[in-house]
Amino acid sequence: MAAHLKKRVYEEFSKVVQVTHEEAPAKKLRLSKPSKSAALHVDLCKASSSTDALQYLLTFSRKPVEAESVEGVVRILLEHYYKETDSSVRLKIASLLGLLSKTPGFSPDCIVDDAINTLSSEKSHQVLAQLLDSLLVIGSQLPESPAVRLRLIEVAYKNLSDSSFGVRTKCLQLLGCLGLLEAPLGKDTMRDVQSIISDYFGDQDPRVRTAALKAMLQLHERGMKIHQIIYDQACRLLSDDYEQVRSAAVQMVWVLSQLYPESIVPIPSSNEEIRLVDDAFGKISHMVSDGSWMVRVQAAKTLGSMLQVSPHFLEQTLDKKLMSDLRRKRTAHERAKELFASGEFSSGRKWADDAPKEKLDTNTVNLIASGACGAFVHGLEDEMFEVRNAAVEALCQLARSSPSFAEKCLDFLVDMFNDEIEEVRLQSIHVLRQISTHITLREDQLDTVLAVLEDSSRDIREALHELLCFTNVSTKECIQLALLELLKNLNKYPTDRSSVWKCLKFLGSRHPTLVLPLVPELLSTHPYFDTPEPDMDDPTLRFWFWSLNAATSCPTMPALFSDHTFRHYAYLRDSLSHLVPPLRLPGRKQVYGLDSVDCGSGSVESAQLFLQQSLNRVSTIQNLEAAGAPELLDLTIRDLQRLGELQTELAGAADFCATFLRCQLLLMKALQEKLWNISVPLILKQNITVTAAAQQVLDESYKLEFLYSGLENRQVATIHHVRLQAKALQLILAARTRHGSCEKFLQDVESFQRLFLTELPHLQDSFVEKLLELLPRLSSCKPVEQVKILQTTLRQSGLLQLRLPEQIHRATATIIEPTGESDNPLRFTSGLVVALDIDATLEHVQDPQNSVKVQVLYPDGQSHVIHPKPADFRKPGPNRHRLITQVYLSHTAWTGEACFHLAASCWPTAPPAPPGWDGPDAMDGLPACRGTVEGTIPFSKHVKVFIMPKPARR
């Protein structure tokens, strides 16, 4: 009885406790961050000295502050500012005001008044300058507040009379960055901001003069037109004692010469007048002889942008001699008119009766400063290579706009090929290449140019080969000299082979009439006697490139060729088609019928029309199960591949379309009815084929996205759509043998919707559109039903119509060295390294410094990815890069071949396994793709190199 009673009491007590727990309301916790202002206030109150306060402020400046806490922090800082007596602490508080005003999400208009009020009580010049700097930062954060800017300008104007150069400098910076472009400065004065700033051009402190010039330049950059009256002041500052002032004055003179080029200015101590741009050119030319090399560099660079200068002033910079005392010459008509007005002519009987009636001082009567005579000569002979480099660049800019000046400066540029600094030599070669259309090299000039082929720098030699490709020479002796020097270059540096061959090709095609009389001598032909046939391995045989390319424009040249020349032509045309052109030879059929290939504009237009028609024909396919669709796709892919071979201009677009259609064809074959209606024992065998197709579609989709440039957002959306189809196919295959989850796939669908929301209207009747309609159902049903829905949707989805952008190019890489043809292995001791030189040409590769890698594959399956240094990349032309680097190989003792290629990194990384697969065994049955590294896409051919690690000697 007692036990029963105890049990009843325990049950009743449990019910009461349970009800109590259920009725008790849940307590909510509120998480809040500690206040920055309160913490700062506590720290500053704890400071027992100025040193402690400064230490707290330094610690606080390293921590981020939220936008909602900035105003409170500023109040605490200002409160402590008025109490602090140490100027170093006030200086730090003033700098923190500017730093806090740049906090993202904070508008500093609420602290402008408080920051301005601190100026009235401040006595320290350093703190005052820092406060003005913080006000400049605040004003820059409020570009849409004219009232605030006007107040700050008035503050700057009031403090311009301060005795400290630092305060005046900050005030001038305020006026330059925030000065109103049209309105007057204040209510009590109508002086504009330009006249106020120009008053400080003559300040006693050079730092203030420099700040005044930079403030005026800042106004110009903001859109204000500088007054012409400032030109005289700027010219006087060119002779200032301090280089910073002279440097800023050079910029100001150049700005005014561009604003008022045709204005007439008088010449001091003369009645002559001159254009302002010519006068400014002469004054800046004089600065090329300045005592500071930094001013000389800036003056030389500035001269290159003064394209409106008169030709006779331009040509004077190349001659150190003074021409006619640099005075304007009177015409014969003017001299005759003066004699007629005087009423008499010189009879010759009186001594010096025709002498000039005025005594001239050549030091005062000059149209152009004497230092400007030979300005570029001084610049090219300067002791600092930076000045020489700047002078060469300026000559290039001026010569490109003036063919006559290009001819006159040719000798000076050729002389720079002998400069002691490699950078200057390389710049000179590049400059001569840019003005090559205006010049023709003489034999003596060509001799100097060809001497550079002995240079040990590969960049110098290749730049010179590029120059010779586009330069005209004057005589046939020049052609012969160039051929002999190139032959020496090839013997001394065999790695220059491809560059020399290209040079020979263009030399012949540009000078057919000069090459014609040299053909019998250099090809060793004779009109009556047979000459020995040269060996096919003879390096001089490659020099036929120039004669064969010259024959395209000279129809009489093939008659001078011997019979074995025609046989060699057929061999060279087949092996080096990019160097040997198609020729119409007398009595012979044209090789390969290439006369039918027309590369004109009409052919390109017809090819574009054919490409679009092919895409329109494919767009008629209703879904992936349509009858006859695989045959149509196969035929279209073949046509597009052939189109890319015939029309190089459309190779990228044709290859892109062919790859996209190949993905659709693989999906079609994988979704055939007979593959899905088979018995369970045969599923595993069929899965291998379909899985390989799905993986190939995935790989091709990453190539489409990362190996082609010029894609628009619609094309990227189409590529991601194909990738989703491949992932869905992989998920369906996984579900037939293993249980998988669709969660990752559904996340990919939602991500696609977010990324390409604007492109969804163009994806009608597509796989993604149907998935988005079924997304609520897919999220709630069981995995088995999810897979069935995916399979039905995938098989019934339509084929997307591909719309091409205007320009699309495929990234390609051609490995020049090593060629992979050598049978001699690289021998090295196992465990050590051997260096392998790599030379490759990259076309249409975006950001190669970060995306291109060298991948080395060893026979035992190991793979190494090497990141070239940024300095290993050169850019010889637009959309072209050159990779010259070294790869270090190392391995244990064995004998075999190492295979390497160039790979482009892609992001996001290509998935190693289909979504929804669990465990490492989910990849069973996938074909092993040798040479594939996760996150990279190979875009060059494999090159094999034999290596032989030898065992280490003990």
Side-chain angles (χ1 to χ4, degrees), residues 908-933:
T909 303
W917 287 25
D918 299 321
D921 58 341
M923 293 294 289
D924 293 343
L926 276 176
C929 183
R930 182 178 185 269
T932 301
V933 175

Side-chain angles (χ1 to χ4, degrees), residues 703-854:
K703 291 180 181 179
L704 288 173
E705 182 175 2
F706 294 102
L707 290 188
Y708 292 87
S709 58
L711 297 179
E712 298 175 356
N713 196 40
R714 183 178 299 185
Q715 284 79 42
V716 178
T718 306
I719 295 169
H720 279 254
H721 179 273
V722 173
R723 192 175 301 158
L724 276 180
Q725 289 178 306
K727 290 180 178 180
L729 180 58
Q730 287 184 333
L731 182 61
I732 296 171
L733 292 172
R736 300 181 74 185
T737 54
R738 302 173 180 85
H739 294 289
S741 174
C742 292
E743 293 181 4
K744 179 64 171 62
F745 179 77
L746 295 180
Q747 292 175 4
D748 292 340
V749 175
E750 293 174 355
S751 176
F752 181 93
Q753 185 180 13
R754 289 192 305 269
L755 291 174
F756 305 105
L757 184 61
T758 58
E759 302 298 332
L760 290 178
H762 304 290
L763 302 177
Q764 296 180 0
D765 195 30
S766 64
F767 175 64
V768 170
E769 185 185 36
K770 295 180 180 180
L771 276 184
L772 293 177
E773 295 175 357
L774 299 171
L775 196 59
R777 181 182 171 187
L778 285 170
S779 303
S780 58
C781 63
K782 296 180 180 181
V784 177
E785 188 176 353
Q786 287 178 343
V787 172
K788 290 182 179 180
I789 295 174
L790 281 178
Q791 181 177 347
T792 305
T793 307
L794 182 61
R795 296 175 65 180
Q796 295 178 355
S797 59
L799 184 66
L800 284 182
Q801 185 174 3
L802 185 64
R803 195 193 71 171
L804 285 179
E806 294 183 0
Q807 290 291 336
I808 181 171
H809 301 282
R810 178 186 169 90
T812 57
T814 304
I815 299 176
I816 303 173
E817 292 290 341
T819 59
E821 300 174 354
S822 176
D823 295 333
N824 297 325
L826 297 175
R827 304 174 187 272
F828 62 97
T829 303
S830 61
L832 301 181
V833 297
V834 61
L836 178 66
D837 293 325
I838 293 181
D839 182 6
T841 303
L842 312 178
E843 301 278 352
H844 302 288
V845 178
Q846 299 176 345
D847 191 18
Q849 288 83 358
N850 297 322
S851 61
V852 175
K853 302 172 179 59
V854 180

Side-chain angles (χ1 to χ4, degrees), residues 479-675:
I479 289 288
Q480 190 170 12
L481 178 63
L483 291 175
L484 296 177
E485 292 298 327
L486 287 172
L487 179 59
K488 294 179 182 178
N489 176 203
L490 193 60
N491 292 333
K492 187 174 183 179
Y493 302 104
T495 55
D496 293 351
R497 179 179 55 183
S498 60
S499 181
V500 170
W501 290 356
K502 177 185 174 184
C503 178
L504 291 171
K505 170 187 175 182
F506 283 95
L507 266 180
S509 60
R510 292 183 67 90
H511 306 90
T513 56
L514 299 180
V515 170
L516 181 61
L518 297 175
V519 169
E521 178 182 357
L522 294 179
L523 295 187
S524 300
T525 60
H526 195 275
Y528 307 116
F529 302 105
D530 286 337
T531 55
E533 181 176 351
D535 188 7
M536 295 300 292
D537 296 330
D538 188 355
T540 59
L541 185 65
R542 306 310 189 202
F543 280 79
W544 289 13
F545 296 148
W546 61 274
S547 60
L548 294 175
N549 281 277
T552 58
S553 304
C554 186
T556 60
M557 189 177 297
L560 301 176
F561 294 165
S562 59
D563 290 339
H564 63 260
T565 305
F566 299 125
R567 294 194 299 271
H568 289 177
Y569 164 73
Y571 166 74
L572 294 174
R573 176 62 186 157
D574 184 50
S575 59
L576 299 170
S577 58
H578 63 289
L579 296 173
V580 180
L583 294 177
R584 287 186 178 275
L585 301 178
R588 297 172 182 266
K589 297 176 62 176
Q590 186 165 3
V591 178
Y592 305 121
L594 289 172
D595 54 334
S596 60
V597 179
D598 182 16
C599 297
S601 59
S603 178
V604 175
E605 293 176 358
S606 61
Q608 288 177 341
L609 180 61
F610 176 78
L611 177 61
Q612 191 59 47
Q613 290 175 349
S614 300
L615 295 179
N616 294 338
R617 183 171 63 248
V618 173
S619 65
T620 58
I621 300 176
Q622 298 297 327
N623 54 61
L624 297 181
E625 289 188 327
E631 292 78 7
L632 179 59
L633 283 176
D634 197 10
L635 179 63
T636 306
I637 292 171
R638 188 174 57 189
D639 291 344
L640 293 176
Q641 290 175 342
R642 182 57 178 163
L643 177 65
E645 296 173 359
L646 295 177
Q647 287 291 343
T648 55
E649 296 87 350
L650 298 177
D655 192 35
F656 179 84
C657 296
T659 306
F660 174 78
L661 295 179
R662 191 181 302 111
C663 293
Q664 298 294 332
L665 180 60
L666 288 171
L667 288 173
M668 280 186 180
K669 293 182 178 179
L671 293 173
Q672 288 178 358
E673 186 74 21
K674 61 180 181 180
L675 294 180

Side-chain angles (χ1 to χ4, degrees), residues 430 845 848-849 872-883:
H430 289 323
V845 178
Q849 288 83 358
D872 294 338
F873 291 92
R874 282 85 166 168
K875 190 174 183 180
N879 298 322
R880 291 182 58 213
H881 290 84
R882 185 80 176 273
L883 173 61

Side-chain angles (χ1 to χ4, degrees), residues 79 109 148 228 276 280 409 484 563 770 799 856 895 929-930:
E79 181 181 348
D109 52 354
V148 173
Q228 186 180 347
L276 190 145
C409 70
L484 296 177
D563 290 339
K770 295 180 180 180
L799 184 66
V856 182
T895 302
C929 183
R930 182 178 185 269

